[in-house]
Amino acid sequence: MILGSHVSLSGKKMLLGAAQEAVSYGANAMMIFTGAPQNTRRKTVDQMNISAGQTYIKEHGPQFIMGHAPYIINLGNTKRSEQYEFGIEFMKDEIQRCEALGITTLSFHPGAHVGLGADKAIHSIAHGLDEVLAATKNQVKIALETMAGKGTEVGTNFEQLAQIIDLTPHNEQLAITLDTCHASDAGYPIKDNFDEVLEEFDRIIGLDRLQMIHLNDSKNPQGSHKDRHTNIGFGTIGFQSLNYICHHPQLEKVPKIMETPYVLVDQDRKKSAAPYAAEIKMLTEQRFDPEMQEKLIIANS
């Protein structure tokens, strides 16, 4: 089982600190943003403490390093050509940063059509990605993420994602991130019939393209199009279904990354704690602990 979480690439330790954080959770995989997810300001690779981080990773793990592109890059929006071109150039640089950090797969929100229509957005996303992939020519995969369907998001079903791949000539390095919360919110029966979802994915896209799973519970019911993550076992998908996905024999080699929210442990001081060690323990032992959040509060009080 390959299981980990989002960790922070920040402070002076940068990659070293991110790897140490992942190991502290008992993770053998981790996912990092190369900078803040809400903006495109990035440090240079020589500021990311890569050598020390890679030395630690070789000695302690984690074995799998995944990445996530910032949320604000939208290759589906061509209303302002300068922003579209900036997104393409940013992604070219992002791939180079990923290669330097040892990231093998970069999860990427396909974008939103912002009123231009899904078909036009799909074509512009494919065109932009092709420019990125044609220019970079390395082994980092860009994994289009399944989306919940909030607003004018594109990539809310497998057919749209397959179309983006098909319309991208240099698509050898295109892959898919299946987010369990997003897919459920988009209408797929993640909770009740995951095998059916996986069969549909294989038929439309192909399991060989599935390179990452974002293992998240959802605050909202199937088909809600809300995109609200919650902790493992505390949402509408539930522990049993997420545990089944985590240990699924067809997904043994696919890294599962949790992006579940921190737990508030001190209301007065607004102090919160990462749930990932507890969630990894539950999934490793295949036993749900309904008191997980309460125990985190006690442990951090």
Side-chain angles (χ1 to χ4, degrees):
M1 183 176 65
I2 305 169
L3 180 63
S5 69
H6 168 255
V7 293
S8 176
L9 186 76
S10 62
K12 292 182 179 180
K13 287 188 173 182
M14 296 296 285
L15 183 60
L16 173 61
Q20 289 172 332
E21 182 183 350
V23 168
S24 76
Y25 299 148
N28 58 5
M30 70 182 194
M31 184 179 74
I32 52 179
F33 287 88
T34 64
Q38 299 87 2
N39 65 53
T40 54
R41 295 190 297 274
R42 295 294 182 265
K43 291 185 177 182
T44 58
V45 293
D46 61 353
Q47 296 176 295
M48 292 182 176
N49 203 21
I50 292 174
S51 179
Q54 289 179 341
T55 297
Y56 181 88
I57 288 165
K58 285 178 183 177
E59 294 175 354
H60 305 282
Q63 292 84 21
F64 297 86
I65 309 175
M66 320 305 283
H68 202 308
Y71 303 134
I72 64 169
I73 295 297
N74 182 9
L75 295 184
N77 181 6
T78 53
K79 283 184 175 181
R80 294 179 63 181
S81 60
E82 66 275 15
Q83 288 187 352
Y84 180 71
E85 293 302 325
F86 172 81
I88 292 171
E89 294 306 312
F90 177 87
M91 285 298 291
K92 289 178 184 178
D93 292 339
E94 185 79 334
I95 293 296
Q96 300 303 327
R97 283 187 286 270
C98 287
E99 187 172 39
L101 285 160
I103 291 169
T104 58
T105 304
L106 178 70
S107 196
F108 177 70
H109 290 189
H113 65 72
V114 295
L116 298 173
D119 187 63
K120 186 169 183 178
I122 286 167
H123 280 77
S124 67
I125 292 165
H127 173 78
L129 288 172
D130 195 56
E131 281 199 39
V132 173
L133 293 167
T136 49
K137 295 184 182 301
N138 60 35
Q139 297 304 305
V140 178
K141 294 183 183 294
I142 298 178
L144 303 168
E145 189 167 334
T146 57
M147 302 308 293
K150 183 175 60 177
T152 64
E153 284 177 341
V154 174
T156 59
N157 58 56
F158 300 153
E159 287 82 4
Q160 288 183 341
L161 295 169
Q163 192 178 358
I164 293 170
I165 294 169
D166 291 342
L167 288 169
T168 307
H170 298 87
N171 67 15
E172 296 86 358
Q173 293 304 110
L174 279 186
I176 299 293
T177 297
L178 176 62
D179 186 304
T180 54
C181 170
H182 294 177
S184 178
D185 283 16
Y188 288 97
I190 298 296
K191 174 182 173 63
D192 297 320
N193 202 340
F194 181 73
D195 283 330
E196 179 185 281
V197 175
L198 206 58
E199 288 171 10
E200 185 175 348
F201 182 96
D202 192 29
R203 184 175 69 255
I204 296 171
I205 298 175
L207 278 176
D208 59 316
R209 296 268 187 187
L210 183 57
Q211 293 294 310
M212 194 185 327
I213 290 173
H214 286 172
L215 197 74
N216 301 306
D217 216 328
S218 175
K219 282 192 173 183
N220 295 287
Q222 180 183 325
S224 62
H225 305 295
K226 296 288 188 181
D227 185 7
R228 294 288 304 279
H229 298 186
T230 195
N231 295 103
I232 302 296
F234 291 85
T236 58
I237 300 174
F239 180 81
Q240 184 176 351
S241 296
L242 292 169
N243 182 64
Y244 179 75
I245 294 167
C246 192
H247 294 271
H248 199 288
Q250 288 181 273
L251 305 176
E252 184 179 356
K253 296 181 179 180
V254 180
K256 292 93 182 171
I257 299 293
M258 290 178 291
E259 306 167 299
T260 50
Y262 274 37
V263 174
L264 187 66
V265 296
D266 189 324
Q267 180 70 45
D268 294 334
R269 291 186 293 168
K270 306 295 183 186
K271 181 183 177 184
S272 59
Y276 305 124
E279 290 178 329
I280 287 170
K281 185 175 186 289
M282 288 195 301
L283 289 162
T284 301
E285 296 178 354
Q286 302 194 64
R287 182 178 59 84
F288 178 56
D289 183 356
E291 298 177 350
M292 181 270 285
Q293 294 188 353
E294 184 178 339
K295 288 177 179 177
L296 279 174
I297 293 170
I298 293 170
N300 286 275
S301 61

PDB file of all heavy atoms in Angstrom, residues 246-272:
ATOM      1  N   CYS A 246      -8.320   2.054  -0.783  1.00  0.00           N
ATOM      2  CA  CYS A 246      -6.922   2.115  -0.357  1.00  0.00           C
ATOM      3  C   CYS A 246      -6.223   0.771  -0.541  1.00  0.00           C
ATOM      4  O   CYS A 246      -5.051   0.714  -0.918  1.00  0.00           O
ATOM      5  CB  CYS A 246      -6.862   2.541   1.107  1.00  0.00           C
ATOM      6  SG  CYS A 246      -5.206   2.980   1.666  1.00  0.00           S
ATOM      7  N   HIS A 247      -6.938  -0.320  -0.302  1.00  0.00           N
ATOM      8  CA  HIS A 247      -6.356  -1.664  -0.376  1.00  0.00           C
ATOM      9  C   HIS A 247      -6.763  -2.409  -1.643  1.00  0.00           C
ATOM     10  O   HIS A 247      -6.542  -3.616  -1.728  1.00  0.00           O
ATOM     11  CB  HIS A 247      -6.780  -2.467   0.864  1.00  0.00           C
ATOM     12  CG  HIS A 247      -6.208  -1.940   2.139  1.00  0.00           C
ATOM     13  ND1 HIS A 247      -4.990  -2.342   2.642  1.00  0.00           N
ATOM     14  CD2 HIS A 247      -6.679  -1.011   3.010  1.00  0.00           C
ATOM     15  CE1 HIS A 247      -4.741  -1.710   3.771  1.00  0.00           C
ATOM     16  NE2 HIS A 247      -5.749  -0.893   4.017  1.00  0.00           N
ATOM     17  N   HIS A 248      -7.327  -1.718  -2.618  1.00  0.00           N
ATOM     18  CA  HIS A 248      -7.827  -2.380  -3.828  1.00  0.00           C
ATOM     19  C   HIS A 248      -6.668  -3.038  -4.587  1.00  0.00           C
ATOM     20  O   HIS A 248      -5.655  -2.390  -4.867  1.00  0.00           O
ATOM     21  CB  HIS A 248      -8.524  -1.363  -4.731  1.00  0.00           C
ATOM     22  CG  HIS A 248      -9.437  -1.975  -5.727  1.00  0.00           C
ATOM     23  ND1 HIS A 248      -8.984  -2.680  -6.831  1.00  0.00           N
ATOM     24  CD2 HIS A 248     -10.807  -2.019  -5.803  1.00  0.00           C
ATOM     25  CE1 HIS A 248     -10.014  -3.104  -7.537  1.00  0.00           C
ATOM     26  NE2 HIS A 248     -11.122  -2.730  -6.925  1.00  0.00           N
ATOM     27  N   PRO A 249      -6.808  -4.321  -4.950  1.00  0.00           N
ATOM     28  CA  PRO A 249      -5.692  -5.034  -5.604  1.00  0.00           C
ATOM     29  C   PRO A 249      -5.270  -4.433  -6.942  1.00  0.00           C
ATOM     30  O   PRO A 249      -4.099  -4.526  -7.315  1.00  0.00           O
ATOM     31  CB  PRO A 249      -6.225  -6.456  -5.764  1.00  0.00           C
ATOM     32  CG  PRO A 249      -7.713  -6.351  -5.629  1.00  0.00           C
ATOM     33  CD  PRO A 249      -7.959  -5.211  -4.708  1.00  0.00           C
ATOM     34  N   GLN A 250      -6.190  -3.797  -7.659  1.00  0.00           N
ATOM     35  CA  GLN A 250      -5.834  -3.191  -8.938  1.00  0.00           C
ATOM     36  C   GLN A 250      -5.103  -1.854  -8.780  1.00  0.00           C
ATOM     37  O   GLN A 250      -4.539  -1.336  -9.742  1.00  0.00           O
ATOM     38  CB  GLN A 250      -7.087  -2.969  -9.793  1.00  0.00           C
ATOM     39  CG  GLN A 250      -7.688  -4.250 -10.363  1.00  0.00           C
ATOM     40  CD  GLN A 250      -8.908  -3.955 -11.214  1.00  0.00           C
ATOM     41  OE1 GLN A 250     -10.025  -3.867 -10.695  1.00  0.00           O
ATOM     42  NE2 GLN A 250      -8.701  -3.797 -12.499  1.00  0.00           N
ATOM     43  N   LEU A 251      -5.106  -1.335  -7.554  1.00  0.00           N
ATOM     44  CA  LEU A 251      -4.511  -0.019  -7.305  1.00  0.00           C
ATOM     45  C   LEU A 251      -3.310  -0.100  -6.374  1.00  0.00           C
ATOM     46  O   LEU A 251      -2.890   0.907  -5.813  1.00  0.00           O
ATOM     47  CB  LEU A 251      -5.574   0.912  -6.701  1.00  0.00           C
ATOM     48  CG  LEU A 251      -6.866   1.057  -7.496  1.00  0.00           C
ATOM     49  CD1 LEU A 251      -7.864   1.922  -6.740  1.00  0.00           C
ATOM     50  CD2 LEU A 251      -6.590   1.628  -8.883  1.00  0.00           C
ATOM     51  N   GLU A 252      -2.751  -1.276  -6.247  1.00  0.00           N
ATOM     52  CA  GLU A 252      -1.662  -1.503  -5.297  1.00  0.00           C
ATOM     53  C   GLU A 252      -0.471  -0.585  -5.560  1.00  0.00           C
ATOM     54  O   GLU A 252       0.177  -0.106  -4.625  1.00  0.00           O
ATOM     55  CB  GLU A 252      -1.216  -2.968  -5.384  1.00  0.00           C
ATOM     56  CG  GLU A 252      -0.147  -3.358  -4.383  1.00  0.00           C
ATOM     57  CD  GLU A 252       0.260  -4.817  -4.491  1.00  0.00           C
ATOM     58  OE1 GLU A 252      -0.347  -5.550  -5.295  1.00  0.00           O
ATOM     59  OE2 GLU A 252       1.192  -5.215  -3.784  1.00  0.00           O
ATOM     60  N   LYS A 253      -0.175  -0.307  -6.836  1.00  0.00           N
ATOM     61  CA  LYS A 253       1.002   0.483  -7.183  1.00  0.00           C
ATOM     62  C   LYS A 253       0.686   1.964  -7.398  1.00  0.00           C
ATOM     63  O   LYS A 253       1.560   2.731  -7.812  1.00  0.00           O
ATOM     64  CB  LYS A 253       1.666  -0.097  -8.430  1.00  0.00           C
ATOM     65  CG  LYS A 253       2.207  -1.513  -8.209  1.00  0.00           C
ATOM     66  CD  LYS A 253       2.883  -2.045  -9.459  1.00  0.00           C
ATOM     67  CE  LYS A 253       3.434  -3.440  -9.219  1.00  0.00           C
ATOM     68  NZ  LYS A 253       4.104  -3.979 -10.446  1.00  0.00           N
ATOM     69  N   VAL A 254      -0.551   2.357  -7.134  1.00  0.00           N
ATOM     70  CA  VAL A 254      -0.955   3.752  -7.317  1.00  0.00           C
ATOM     71  C   VAL A 254      -0.859   4.484  -5.968  1.00  0.00           C
ATOM     72  O   VAL A 254      -1.517   4.088  -5.005  1.00  0.00           O
ATOM     73  CB  VAL A 254      -2.400   3.844  -7.861  1.00  0.00           C
ATOM     74  CG1 VAL A 254      -2.798   5.308  -8.041  1.00  0.00           C
ATOM     75  CG2 VAL A 254      -2.530   3.087  -9.182  1.00  0.00           C
ATOM     76  N   PRO A 255      -0.062   5.546  -5.871  1.00  0.00           N
ATOM     77  CA  PRO A 255       0.019   6.293  -4.610  1.00  0.00           C
ATOM     78  C   PRO A 255      -1.323   6.916  -4.231  1.00  0.00           C
ATOM     79  O   PRO A 255      -2.012   7.489  -5.083  1.00  0.00           O
ATOM     80  CB  PRO A 255       1.054   7.377  -4.912  1.00  0.00           C
ATOM     81  CG  PRO A 255       1.879   6.821  -6.033  1.00  0.00           C
ATOM     82  CD  PRO A 255       0.909   6.036  -6.867  1.00  0.00           C
ATOM     83  N   LYS A 256      -1.688   6.767  -2.957  1.00  0.00           N
ATOM     84  CA  LYS A 256      -2.892   7.403  -2.419  1.00  0.00           C
ATOM     85  C   LYS A 256      -2.457   8.546  -1.504  1.00  0.00           C
ATOM     86  O   LYS A 256      -1.675   8.335  -0.572  1.00  0.00           O
ATOM     87  CB  LYS A 256      -3.756   6.418  -1.630  1.00  0.00           C
ATOM     88  CG  LYS A 256      -4.412   5.335  -2.478  1.00  0.00           C
ATOM     89  CD  LYS A 256      -3.559   4.107  -2.531  1.00  0.00           C
ATOM     90  CE  LYS A 256      -4.176   3.034  -3.425  1.00  0.00           C
ATOM     91  NZ  LYS A 256      -3.231   1.916  -3.638  1.00  0.00           N
ATOM     92  N   ILE A 257      -2.970   9.727  -1.791  1.00  0.00           N
ATOM     93  CA  ILE A 257      -2.591  10.932  -1.052  1.00  0.00           C
ATOM     94  C   ILE A 257      -3.831  11.531  -0.404  1.00  0.00           C
ATOM     95  O   ILE A 257      -4.838  11.767  -1.070  1.00  0.00           O
ATOM     96  CB  ILE A 257      -1.947  11.968  -1.991  1.00  0.00           C
ATOM     97  CG1 ILE A 257      -0.677  11.411  -2.647  1.00  0.00           C
ATOM     98  CG2 ILE A 257      -1.673  13.263  -1.248  1.00  0.00           C
ATOM     99  CD1 ILE A 257       0.478  11.168  -1.702  1.00  0.00           C
ATOM    100  N   MET A 258      -3.749  11.803   0.896  1.00  0.00           N
ATOM    101  CA  MET A 258      -4.864  12.424   1.603  1.00  0.00           C
ATOM    102  C   MET A 258      -4.684  13.943   1.669  1.00  0.00           C
ATOM    103  O   MET A 258      -3.585  14.431   1.942  1.00  0.00           O
ATOM    104  CB  MET A 258      -4.992  11.831   3.002  1.00  0.00           C
ATOM    105  CG  MET A 258      -5.476  10.390   2.981  1.00  0.00           C
ATOM    106  SD  MET A 258      -5.579   9.636   4.625  1.00  0.00           S
ATOM    107  CE  MET A 258      -3.851   9.502   5.066  1.00  0.00           C
ATOM    108  N   GLU A 259      -5.775  14.644   1.414  1.00  0.00           N
ATOM    109  CA  GLU A 259      -5.810  16.108   1.521  1.00  0.00           C
ATOM    110  C   GLU A 259      -6.920  16.504   2.501  1.00  0.00           C
ATOM    111  O   GLU A 259      -7.633  17.475   2.290  1.00  0.00           O
ATOM    112  CB  GLU A 259      -6.104  16.738   0.164  1.00  0.00           C
ATOM    113  CG  GLU A 259      -5.182  16.321  -0.957  1.00  0.00           C
ATOM    114  CD  GLU A 259      -5.728  16.745  -2.298  1.00  0.00           C
ATOM    115  OE1 GLU A 259      -6.845  16.294  -2.657  1.00  0.00           O
ATOM    116  OE2 GLU A 259      -5.068  17.528  -2.993  1.00  0.00           O
ATOM    117  N   THR A 260      -7.056  15.737   3.542  1.00  0.00           N
ATOM    118  CA  THR A 260      -8.113  15.962   4.518  1.00  0.00           C
ATOM    119  C   THR A 260      -7.759  17.147   5.418  1.00  0.00           C
ATOM    120  O   THR A 260      -6.580  17.452   5.625  1.00  0.00           O
ATOM    121  CB  THR A 260      -8.342  14.694   5.355  1.00  0.00           C
ATOM    122  OG1 THR A 260      -7.080  14.227   5.840  1.00  0.00           O
ATOM    123  CG2 THR A 260      -8.972  13.597   4.506  1.00  0.00           C
ATOM    124  N   PRO A 261      -8.754  17.815   5.981  1.00  0.00           N
ATOM    125  CA  PRO A 261      -8.470  19.041   6.749  1.00  0.00           C
ATOM    126  C   PRO A 261      -7.840  18.772   8.104  1.00  0.00           C
ATOM    127  O   PRO A 261      -8.030  17.714   8.703  1.00  0.00           O
ATOM    128  CB  PRO A 261      -9.860  19.672   6.911  1.00  0.00           C
ATOM    129  CG  PRO A 261     -10.818  18.529   6.786  1.00  0.00           C
ATOM    130  CD  PRO A 261     -10.208  17.572   5.813  1.00  0.00           C
ATOM    131  N   TYR A 262      -7.075  19.750   8.567  1.00  0.00           N
ATOM    132  CA  TYR A 262      -6.544  19.710   9.929  1.00  0.00           C
ATOM    133  C   TYR A 262      -7.713  19.738  10.912  1.00  0.00           C
ATOM    134  O   TYR A 262      -8.785  20.259  10.616  1.00  0.00           O
ATOM    135  CB  TYR A 262      -5.639  20.917  10.181  1.00  0.00           C
ATOM    136  CG  TYR A 262      -4.201  20.728   9.746  1.00  0.00           C
ATOM    137  CD1 TYR A 262      -3.873  20.023   8.586  1.00  0.00           C
ATOM    138  CD2 TYR A 262      -3.161  21.270  10.489  1.00  0.00           C
ATOM    139  CE1 TYR A 262      -2.562  19.861   8.194  1.00  0.00           C
ATOM    140  CE2 TYR A 262      -1.835  21.117  10.098  1.00  0.00           C
ATOM    141  CZ  TYR A 262      -1.545  20.413   8.957  1.00  0.00           C
ATOM    142  OH  TYR A 262      -0.243  20.255   8.577  1.00  0.00           O
ATOM    143  N   VAL A 263      -7.475  19.183  12.095  1.00  0.00           N
ATOM    144  CA  VAL A 263      -8.490  19.129  13.147  1.00  0.00           C
ATOM    145  C   VAL A 263      -8.225  20.248  14.148  1.00  0.00           C
ATOM    146  O   VAL A 263      -7.096  20.406  14.638  1.00  0.00           O
ATOM    147  CB  VAL A 263      -8.473  17.762  13.856  1.00  0.00           C
ATOM    148  CG1 VAL A 263      -9.421  17.751  15.049  1.00  0.00           C
ATOM    149  CG2 VAL A 263      -8.837  16.652  12.873  1.00  0.00           C
ATOM    150  N   LEU A 264      -9.254  21.041  14.444  1.00  0.00           N
ATOM    151  CA  LEU A 264      -9.130  22.120  15.421  1.00  0.00           C
ATOM    152  C   LEU A 264      -9.011  21.513  16.822  1.00  0.00           C
ATOM    153  O   LEU A 264      -9.902  20.806  17.269  1.00  0.00           O
ATOM    154  CB  LEU A 264     -10.345  23.046  15.344  1.00  0.00           C
ATOM    155  CG  LEU A 264     -10.288  24.318  16.186  1.00  0.00           C
ATOM    156  CD1 LEU A 264      -9.193  25.257  15.678  1.00  0.00           C
ATOM    157  CD2 LEU A 264     -11.640  25.024  16.146  1.00  0.00           C
ATOM    158  N   VAL A 265      -7.884  21.803  17.476  1.00  0.00           N
ATOM    159  CA  VAL A 265      -7.654  21.208  18.798  1.00  0.00           C
ATOM    160  C   VAL A 265      -7.723  22.223  19.934  1.00  0.00           C
ATOM    161  O   VAL A 265      -7.734  21.859  21.101  1.00  0.00           O
ATOM    162  CB  VAL A 265      -6.292  20.470  18.840  1.00  0.00           C
ATOM    163  CG1 VAL A 265      -6.292  19.299  17.878  1.00  0.00           C
ATOM    164  CG2 VAL A 265      -5.134  21.412  18.549  1.00  0.00           C
ATOM    165  N   ASP A 266      -7.751  23.498  19.598  1.00  0.00           N
ATOM    166  CA  ASP A 266      -7.871  24.540  20.622  1.00  0.00           C
ATOM    167  C   ASP A 266      -8.642  25.706  20.018  1.00  0.00           C
ATOM    168  O   ASP A 266      -8.090  26.488  19.240  1.00  0.00           O
ATOM    169  CB  ASP A 266      -6.489  24.985  21.097  1.00  0.00           C
ATOM    170  CG  ASP A 266      -6.556  25.901  22.317  1.00  0.00           C
ATOM    171  OD1 ASP A 266      -7.504  26.715  22.396  1.00  0.00           O
ATOM    172  OD2 ASP A 266      -5.677  25.806  23.192  1.00  0.00           O
ATOM    173  N   GLN A 267      -9.915  25.802  20.350  1.00  0.00           N
ATOM    174  CA  GLN A 267     -10.781  26.832  19.787  1.00  0.00           C
ATOM    175  C   GLN A 267     -10.288  28.235  20.131  1.00  0.00           C
ATOM    176  O   GLN A 267     -10.277  29.123  19.277  1.00  0.00           O
ATOM    177  CB  GLN A 267     -12.216  26.640  20.300  1.00  0.00           C
ATOM    178  CG  GLN A 267     -13.204  27.666  19.785  1.00  0.00           C
ATOM    179  CD  GLN A 267     -13.503  27.499  18.309  1.00  0.00           C
ATOM    180  OE1 GLN A 267     -13.726  26.395  17.847  1.00  0.00           O
ATOM    181  NE2 GLN A 267     -13.494  28.598  17.560  1.00  0.00           N
ATOM    182  N   ASP A 268      -9.861  28.426  21.379  1.00  0.00           N
ATOM    183  CA  ASP A 268      -9.458  29.760  21.831  1.00  0.00           C
ATOM    184  C   ASP A 268      -8.207  30.257  21.107  1.00  0.00           C
ATOM    185  O   ASP A 268      -8.134  31.414  20.702  1.00  0.00           O
ATOM    186  CB  ASP A 268      -9.221  29.749  23.342  1.00  0.00           C
ATOM    187  CG  ASP A 268     -10.503  29.494  24.119  1.00  0.00           C
ATOM    188  OD1 ASP A 268     -11.584  29.813  23.583  1.00  0.00           O
ATOM    189  OD2 ASP A 268     -10.419  28.968  25.247  1.00  0.00           O
ATOM    190  N   ARG A 269      -7.242  29.356  20.933  1.00  0.00           N
ATOM    191  CA  ARG A 269      -5.980  29.758  20.289  1.00  0.00           C
ATOM    192  C   ARG A 269      -5.976  29.447  18.789  1.00  0.00           C
ATOM    193  O   ARG A 269      -4.962  29.673  18.124  1.00  0.00           O
ATOM    194  CB  ARG A 269      -4.812  29.049  20.974  1.00  0.00           C
ATOM    195  CG  ARG A 269      -4.545  29.528  22.396  1.00  0.00           C
ATOM    196  CD  ARG A 269      -3.293  28.913  22.967  1.00  0.00           C
ATOM    197  NE  ARG A 269      -3.435  27.459  23.170  1.00  0.00           N
ATOM    198  CZ  ARG A 269      -2.422  26.649  23.443  1.00  0.00           C
ATOM    199  NH1 ARG A 269      -1.201  27.132  23.543  1.00  0.00           N
ATOM    200  NH2 ARG A 269      -2.636  25.360  23.621  1.00  0.00           N
ATOM    201  N   LYS A 270      -7.092  28.950  18.281  1.00  0.00           N
ATOM    202  CA  LYS A 270      -7.213  28.595  16.867  1.00  0.00           C
ATOM    203  C   LYS A 270      -6.110  27.621  16.443  1.00  0.00           C
ATOM    204  O   LYS A 270      -5.584  27.685  15.332  1.00  0.00           O
ATOM    205  CB  LYS A 270      -7.164  29.835  15.969  1.00  0.00           C
ATOM    206  CG  LYS A 270      -8.170  30.917  16.333  1.00  0.00           C
ATOM    207  CD  LYS A 270      -9.597  30.454  16.147  1.00  0.00           C
ATOM    208  CE  LYS A 270     -10.591  31.560  16.449  1.00  0.00           C
ATOM    209  NZ  LYS A 270     -11.994  31.101  16.410  1.00  0.00           N
ATOM    210  N   LYS A 271      -5.774  26.705  17.337  1.00  0.00           N
ATOM    211  CA  LYS A 271      -4.709  25.744  17.073  1.00  0.00           C
ATOM    212  C   LYS A 271      -5.305  24.497  16.424  1.00  0.00           C
ATOM    213  O   LYS A 271      -6.333  23.985  16.859  1.00  0.00           O
ATOM    214  CB  LYS A 271      -4.015  25.364  18.382  1.00  0.00           C
ATOM    215  CG  LYS A 271      -2.871  24.369  18.217  1.00  0.00           C
ATOM    216  CD  LYS A 271      -2.297  24.004  19.576  1.00  0.00           C
ATOM    217  CE  LYS A 271      -1.206  22.943  19.440  1.00  0.00           C
ATOM    218  NZ  LYS A 271      -0.687  22.507  20.768  1.00  0.00           N
ATOM    219  N   SER A 272      -4.644  24.012  15.374  1.00  0.00           N
ATOM    220  CA  SER A 272      -5.123  22.808  14.698  1.00  0.00           C
ATOM    221  C   SER A 272      -3.980  21.823  14.549  1.00  0.00           C
ATOM    222  O   SER A 272      -2.804  22.178  14.665  1.00  0.00           O
ATOM    223  CB  SER A 272      -5.718  23.150  13.334  1.00  0.00           C
ATOM    224  OG  SER A 272      -4.760  23.791  12.520  1.00  0.00           O
TER     225      SER A 272
END
